[in-house]
Amino acid sequence: QQELELQVPEEDHVQESMREGFIMFLSFAGFGAMPLLGYVVIPATFPDLGEDRLFLAACIVTGLVLFFLGSVKSKFTNSHWSWSGMETLMLGGACATVAFTIGYYVNEIVGTSADETH
């Protein structure tokens, strides 16, 4: 074990792993649900908004959440909070853009053929 520089697990490693996994799940579920506020809370508050405005609201909420998440991440790294927030916002925004673009083109391909069959 020393040769490979592996760490020997602590006595309570199973309990500690379960706790860390549970915290990770809650964080993922909590932060992952935040963009849905743009489609749940905002329509309830402003029922006359159109789809474009709701999408814009969801994008803004997602951006704020990503920046906040990156800022919190800076507590565990050596990065400044604003740099860490901007880094997470840019990376998350790029991933969201790629996912949206793929979804758009898949819908164009599948949506057209699905409309023709009905």
Side-chain angles (χ1 to χ4, degrees), residues 2 8 15 22-23 30 40 46 70 102 106:
Q2 289 178 355
V8 178
Q15 183 179 11
F22 184 68
I23 290 171
V40 177
F46 305 101
I102 290 171
V106 167

Side-chain angles (χ1 to χ4, degrees), residues 3 25 54 62 72 74 76 81-82 88 102 104 107 109:
E3 190 175 303
F25 169 75
L54 290 176
T62 300
V72 170
S74 72
F76 307 100
W81 67 269
S82 62
T88 303
I102 290 171
Y104 176 82
N107 185 51
I109 295 167

Side-chain angles (χ1 to χ4, degrees), residues 68-96:
F68 176 73
L69 182 62
S71 298
V72 170
K73 181 182 77 169
S74 72
K75 293 283 187 185
F76 307 100
T77 63
N78 291 330
S79 298
H80 189 268
W81 67 269
S82 62
W83 175 256
S84 185
M86 192 57 68
E87 178 183 43
T88 303
L89 173 62
M90 291 293 129
L91 181 60
C95 292

Side-chain angles (χ1 to χ4, degrees), residues 39 51-52 55-56 59 92-108:
Y39 288 102
E51 287 183 17
D52 291 343
F55 180 72
L56 178 63
C59 289
C95 292
T97 301
V98 169
F100 179 83
T101 303
I102 290 171
Y104 176 82
Y105 286 113
V106 167
N107 185 51
E108 287 292 312

